[in-house]
Amino acid sequence: MPTRLDARRAVLAAKKRLGLRWATIADGLGRSVEWTVSALLGQQTLTEQQAVTAGELLELDTGTVEALLLPPVRGADAVDTTDPLVYRLAEVVQVYGTTISELVREEFGDGIVSAIDFELGLERVPDPKGDRAVITLNGKFLPYGPGDDRTA
């Protein structure tokens, strides 16, 4: 049986072979483009109906559709850090991560920004010096609460 990573390769090959855009697939699934890409690349959980619909749109075999229902694969094994864009995004976090952390702490207090209750946005903005990519990271703030150091 194929793995989620095998399914990702099959999805990308089918998308290219069929000349589909992610927006078309997202419309078929009734989800955002960003979520759809993330899900079909193995980072989100799909329902059985979503996997079947994606399989129909992408003309995937039954084994690949079943692989889309496996648990997501996250972390270093699922990311190609040699991809130039992924590398640059990591560089953005290296350069601005502490700045973002400090600004979030000043605005919200002690806590983190959720990567689960999270929305990603991507927008192309025309610019005379070259189009710009506006990437929006929209996560719920999760405050750290005071600890309870009492023992039962």
Side-chain angles (χ1 to χ4, degrees):
M1 178 172 164
T3 66
R4 273 305 284 265
L5 295 177
D6 295 331
R8 172 172 63 189
R9 286 187 278 278
V11 164
L12 290 170
K15 179 185 170 291
K16 182 176 182 179
R17 177 176 43 84
L18 297 170
L20 292 174
R21 292 191 52 92
W22 286 114
T24 303
I25 301 167
D27 284 346
L29 295 177
R31 297 298 303 253
S32 71
V33 171
E34 294 83 0
W35 184 90
T36 298
V37 175
S38 180
L40 293 179
L41 296 186
Q43 301 287 315
Q44 307 294 333
T45 301
L46 286 100
T47 66
E48 185 170 344
Q49 184 57 54
Q50 289 167 333
V52 168
T53 300
E56 290 170 357
L57 290 167
L58 292 162
E59 300 176 2
L60 301 174
D61 62 62
T62 303
T64 301
V65 171
E66 290 174 5
L68 291 173
L69 295 170
L70 294 171
V73 177
R74 299 184 177 113
D77 290 342
V79 178
D80 178 4
T81 56
T82 64
D83 178 295
L85 182 57
V86 172
Y87 175 81
R88 291 290 181 245
L89 290 171
E91 186 177 29
V92 167
V93 171
Q94 289 175 0
V95 173
Y96 292 102
T98 55
T99 300
I100 294 168
S101 179
E102 177 58 26
L103 292 173
V104 167
R105 187 171 296 112
E106 181 181 84
E107 183 67 26
F108 295 93
D110 191 25
I112 59 173
V113 176
S114 176
I116 295 173
D117 189 344
F118 182 85
E119 295 176 14
L120 170 69
L122 174 67
E123 181 182 359
R124 183 178 190 148
V125 176
D127 187 290
K129 294 183 285 184
D131 290 355
R132 302 186 68 86
V134 176
I135 301 168
T136 302
L137 309 175
N138 181 348
K140 179 180 179 182
F141 179 74
L142 302 172
Y144 290 126
D148 185 354
D149 59 357
R150 294 177 293 174
T151 57

